[in-house]
Amino acid sequence: MFCSLRQAPTATLRRCGALESLRQPCSHLLQTRFFARELEDGSRGKKPLAERLLEYRADQDRLRDGWAWVGYWEKSCEKTLRHAKKLRRKLQYSSADPAGRAKREQQQAYWARESSR
């Protein structure tokens, strides 16, 4: 790329000597881009279901296991249970939280008073 009066201020053009020759290349004016990560190679993608089921074989030496889906299903149920537990904890007024129960009772008492007015 070459320096031009539109691309760089006058002080920069003087430093690279571009005022004498406007067609002179100025490498220090070019932006160098550095990427923080490597490009995706597809290794983080979800494996096909058949490959995921093979992780739950009772006997790892066997090529197939007709009941491997049960292990996969149990693992997905456990994951869903953990997620639900975490979500219940994070909800502001969850039914599992004693503070949430107390707050709900306060709200019910408040609205009972308001409706009796």
Side-chain angles (χ1 to χ4, degrees), residues 68-79:
W69 67 271
V70 176
Y72 177 76
W73 180 68
E74 287 176 346
K75 172 132 189 214
S76 69
C77 286
E78 289 172 7
K79 183 178 179 182

Side-chain angles (χ1 to χ4, degrees), residues 7-115:
Q7 291 174 344
T10 309
T12 308
L13 291 172
R14 276 195 205 112
R15 267 198 310 262
C16 70
L19 287 179
E20 294 81 30
S21 164
L22 290 177
R23 303 301 298 164
Q24 179 182 349
C26 298
S27 60
H28 66 277
L29 294 177
L30 298 176
Q31 179 182 0
T32 307
R33 300 182 81 183
F34 295 102
F35 296 100
R37 291 191 298 261
E38 296 276 330
L39 295 176
E40 288 289 336
D41 60 354
S43 63
R44 296 190 318 163
K46 191 184 282 188
K47 293 179 185 174
L49 180 62
E51 287 183 29
R52 284 183 277 159
L53 286 177
L54 290 178
E55 296 175 8
Y56 300 98
R57 290 179 290 192
D59 184 11
Q60 294 297 322
D61 295 331
R62 291 181 62 189
L63 182 59
R64 297 184 182 133
D65 187 356
W67 291 97
W69 67 271
V70 176
Y72 177 76
W73 180 68
E74 287 176 346
K75 172 132 189 214
S76 69
C77 286
E78 289 172 7
K79 183 178 179 182
T80 304
L81 188 65
R82 282 195 316 267
H83 181 69
K85 194 185 223 181
K86 182 178 179 181
L87 186 64
R88 230 180 286 120
R89 251 190 348 255
K90 287 183 174 237
L91 288 174
Q92 191 171 5
Y93 302 124
S94 68
S95 60
D97 186 23
R101 287 185 186 148
K103 181 67 174 176
R104 192 176 306 110
E105 289 171 5
Q106 287 176 0
Q107 287 176 344
Q108 289 170 351
Y110 170 78
W111 288 112
R113 284 194 311 270
E114 288 293 317
S115 65

